[in-house]
Amino acid sequence: MRANRLLYAVVSCLVLDVCLGYWPFDKNLFDEETAGRKLQELNAKAKEASVRFLGLGDWGAANVRQKTVAERMNVWAEKLDAQFVLGLGDNFYETGVMSAEDSQWTDTFEKVYNEQETLKKLDWWNVLGNHDWYGNATAQFRRDDLNLTANWILPNLWYNKVFYSTDKGVSGTQSSEADKFSVALVFTDSYIWDEPGYHPKSHVQLQLEFIEASLSMAARLADWIVVVGHYPMYSSGAHGDTQVLKAELLPLLQKYKVDMYTYGHDHHLELLRENIDGDVNDITYVLSGAGAKNKVPWHDHRLSRFKSHRAGFTAHVFTRDGATTQFVDGNGQVLHSFTQAKRTDRPCKVKEEGGECVLMTPDEVAQEKAKYPDLQAAMPTWKRPDIVYQPSAVFRWLLKHGVEFALIIVAFILICGFGGWGVHKFVLSRGPGPNHTLVSQSSQSSVGTQSDPAPLLGGDAHTHTQHSLSRFSSV
């Protein structure tokens, strides 16, 4: 009877795990030969003048999945000679951090990524996610200001950064003038868009103006444009499309002919694109939200070209003529690879207010480059808005522990409902007595094995400091 109960408990936990969408790594899916060949293919592209980086979202859980993904990221970072990492939000679960000295910085970031030989040398350029806003979001700026973690970069809710191509093996050394090209990144805060009750409308407007000004300059002078956020533009996951972004951000991405928008929020990996042909001018949407939690996508999106429930990250190599994105899981398995050609409808310039971004002539491009020899210096600057938001202790407690209690209750119901040994039958057959304690302990033990299913290996006062400003000199 005890063996049956244990079997029912294990089955119940697996059913609950699948229903919630969480999925462990599958060791048997790892093909070292294939993974090595795929890495070599990307490595070959990286050997020419290129911009190379990794993308990771929803990573701040301090669990086995996160650590396993970090180990694989370290391998890719070393082989590609990556220049930086994009942190796509939800940096600290479940309720952000409370201060710049919060212990989660050590437990969730430094002990996971900065103990990896290559990752610890790379700067992490971050955005905030909704879970970061459930805590003290400003503490994540403060960490950057104080330089308490040297490779943690988050100067504002929205900002921009221009990277120039380097030759592989000599990171930090720009390519020759003839080979040099630029990738302009524009970082955004999705939460203030989608949660207007917590932020004044003026913040949303400030961000919109900053994004448009950044994209306008990048469209004229940058070879590639990547926009970074947390909420999806499109997604097959539980959260799905973010309607406010489609209404307000998407028109700007289309107007200025952006190459890529990358984000997290939904806990899976996905490539979405209107046209599957990488040679056609189009925006590529890269969802990388499986850095520590992974879920099965809920539906089939019409734009989805690839999706996977597996925990992992993305690796990107931009060359002068094309950009390749690989989706890599925590086993090091390359799940999908996609290459897009450089757009032929840029550089472009808006010549009249409200007009379209019109393709520039070679003479116009030369004039713009002569006028703005340093693209980073030409990009708009930012100031931090006034942010006064601190969730109550009760809200933080409910958010952090409410889900745990809900899972325990659901698991208990499922366990007691299997095999005809439900609570009502147990009470009727045995009545009250000391055996109740035994059943309760057994149930708690079963739930305990479920709660952490270890995956199988597979000018104002708010202006940021000079320390942050120094990072934005051209590289």
Side-chain angles (χ1 to χ4, degrees), residues 253-397:
L253 304 188
Q254 294 171 333
K255 178 178 180 178
Y256 293 104
K257 309 180 193 309
V258 166
D259 298 288
M260 180 184 293
Y261 175 50
T262 184
Y263 47 89
H265 198 43
D266 274 327
H267 299 164
H268 66 278
L269 302 171
E270 187 167 14
L271 174 75
L272 302 104
R273 187 177 160 96
E274 188 75 46
N275 198 307
I276 189 59
D277 186 352
D279 291 331
V280 174
N281 293 328
D282 200 359
I283 304 170
T284 301
Y285 300 92
V286 176
L287 196 167
S288 181
K293 298 183 177 186
N294 52 309
K295 292 184 179 181
V296 177
W298 283 39
H299 63 279
D300 294 322
H301 198 287
R302 70 176 185 86
L303 299 183
S304 183
R305 306 303 176 183
F306 156 80
K307 61 179 181 288
S308 172
H309 65 270
R310 303 176 68 76
F313 61 97
T314 52
H316 307 266
V317 174
F318 283 68
T319 65
R320 177 173 289 281
D321 300 319
T324 298
T325 296
Q326 285 190 346
F327 296 83
V328 187
D329 76 358
N331 288 319
Q333 185 80 6
V334 179
L335 304 174
H336 186 72
S337 183
F338 178 76
T339 299
Q340 62 191 92
K342 185 179 177 183
R343 298 187 69 133
T344 58
D345 53 359
R346 247 191 21 244
C348 66
K349 185 175 183 179
V350 176
K351 298 184 177 180
E352 57 184 41
E353 189 173 350
E356 295 183 357
C357 199
V358 180
L359 185 65
M360 298 165 64
T361 66
D363 286 344
E364 289 175 325
V365 173
Q367 290 173 9
E368 287 289 324
K369 289 188 174 181
K371 185 177 180 180
Y372 302 106
D374 184 342
L375 177 53
Q376 183 66 68
M379 295 287 274
T381 56
W382 62 90
K383 290 183 180 180
R384 290 183 192 162
D386 259 337
I387 304 170
V388 182
Y389 177 67
Q390 189 76 291
S392 69
V394 174
F395 174 73
R396 285 177 55 84
W397 189 89

Side-chain angles (χ1 to χ4, degrees), residues 156-172:
N156 194 29
L157 298 181
W158 51 82
Y159 62 102
N160 53 50
K161 173 65 182 175
V162 178
F163 284 92
Y164 289 99
S165 57
T166 64
D167 296 323
K168 186 175 181 294
V170 284
S171 286

Side-chain angles (χ1 to χ4, degrees), residues 192-209:
I192 68 170
W193 240 314
D194 202 44
E195 301 291 343
Y198 292 116
H199 302 275
K201 291 183 178 179
S202 60
H203 288 184
V204 178
Q205 188 59 35
L206 280 172
Q207 178 169 228
L208 266 174
E209 292 172 357

